[in-house]
Amino acid sequence: MDMLMAGLTPAAFWAAMAVTLFSGFVKGAIGFAMPMIMISAFSSFLPPEVALAGMILPTLLTNFSQAFRQGWGPALESMRKYWRFLAGTIVFILISAQFVRDIPQIVFLLMLGLPITAFAALQLAGRSLALRLEHRRRAETVLGIIGGLYGGVSGIWGPPLLVYLLSVGAEKREAIRVQGVVFLIGAATLSFAHLNSGVLNAATVPFSLALAVPAFLGMVVGFAVQDRLDQTRFRRWTQILLVLTGLNLIRQALS
């Protein structure tokens, strides 16, 4: 058991398991927010590198289910259709991940807290995040690069993708599938990058794998809810949660 805990106290380990269970449920129900919830909560009681390592493998493994839920054909078509976003994300995750150890904790927390709070608060206020895309290919590439730069150091690259999907008017099932495909490939890239950076190591890999268990359990329940739940109401409560977790990160940075 000790090898799974990455040197954490039992209280911290089981708190991380509980957070992951809940974030897996949210991901299954609405298709995103798992890494945002995990890293926001983890940063309250885990060291930054352990927090980042802990969310990498659950994110990687659960995205297989989301990406291929409608089969291989639709998933491969999504890869082909959004290849520019994927390319920008992959290349710049590999670049930015090498600087994760050089970022002070206060900067790390603010980099997480400010955009998460702004993103969720805008949605909660009913503001459309859709952009007017006069040059769709250029916008797709630029947003992919932004996602990769941010994802390499924080493990979160969902907001730029969600903005792009809203902007192109992607249908609900396609949007959830595309999120799974992009998150899967991005998470695989992030895993490789942080095996090289040292964030994923002999102590943190078993911990991250252990967290994959509650992530899958939560996601299975979330999938069942996704097919029946009033999505508008559930998404609203999720946005409230993201605002609160983002504000908590800002509080930690400034305290």
Side-chain angles (χ1 to χ4, degrees):
M1 186 66 179
D2 288 345
M3 68 174 293
L4 301 177
M5 296 174 62
L8 302 174
T9 64
F13 175 78
W14 290 110
M17 295 284 276
V19 167
T20 306
L21 179 68
F22 175 71
S23 66
F25 168 72
V26 172
K27 179 175 178 60
I30 65 171
F32 74 98
M34 180 177 173
M36 284 191 280
I37 293 172
M38 289 178 74
I39 200 71
S40 297
F42 285 178
S43 296
S44 300
F45 59 92
L46 298 179
E49 286 189 23
V50 176
L52 178 57
M55 55 144 287
I56 289 175
L57 296 183
T59 301
L60 171 66
L61 296 173
T62 55
N63 277 309
F64 276 103
S65 297
Q66 183 171 332
F68 297 107
R69 195 179 185 202
Q70 285 94 42
W72 283 85
L76 292 173
E77 175 60 22
S78 294
M79 292 181 197
R80 184 198 64 78
K81 187 174 180 180
Y82 294 90
W83 71 268
R84 292 180 181 84
F85 193 99
L86 283 166
T89 300
I90 290 168
V91 170
F92 283 88
I93 281 177
L94 290 171
I95 293 171
S96 63
Q98 305 312 309
F99 299 98
V100 67
R101 294 178 181 273
D102 301 322
I103 299 175
Q105 185 171 13
I106 183 172
V107 176
F108 178 80
L109 291 171
L110 288 174
M111 284 179 65
L112 290 171
L114 290 172
I116 288 172
T117 303
F119 174 76
L122 284 171
Q123 285 201 320
L124 193 59
R127 297 288 298 274
S128 173
L129 295 176
L131 303 175
R132 294 181 60 185
L133 302 183
E134 297 180 5
H135 304 284
R136 176 169 173 169
R137 293 178 180 178
R138 185 183 304 168
E140 182 178 349
T141 302
V142 170
L143 287 170
I145 289 171
I146 293 171
L149 285 170
Y150 202 79
V153 297
S154 70
I156 297 170
W157 56 91
L161 175 61
L162 292 170
V163 169
Y164 181 70
L165 292 173
L166 285 168
S167 301
V168 299
E171 181 268 332
K172 175 188 169 184
R173 286 182 63 183
E174 180 188 35
I176 291 177
R177 182 176 64 251
V178 170
Q179 288 173 51
V181 169
V182 173
F183 295 163
L184 170 60
I185 295 175
T189 306
L190 188 69
S191 301
F192 173 77
H194 282 309
L195 283 169
N196 287 330
S197 75
V199 169
L200 281 175
N201 53 49
T204 58
V205 166
F207 172 61
S208 196
L209 282 172
L211 293 183
V213 176
F216 268 112
L217 291 175
M219 194 172 185
V220 168
V221 178
F223 276 155
V225 171
Q226 181 189 129
D227 296 331
R228 297 192 300 269
L229 187 67
D230 177 348
Q231 290 291 303
T232 301
R233 181 176 298 175
F234 189 82
R235 188 179 293 265
R236 185 170 184 83
W237 280 108
T238 302
Q239 290 157 357
I240 292 171
L241 174 65
L242 290 176
V243 169
L244 293 175
T245 53
L247 289 174
N248 182 53
L249 285 168
I250 296 170
R251 180 195 61 79
Q252 291 179 63
L254 300 179
S255 62

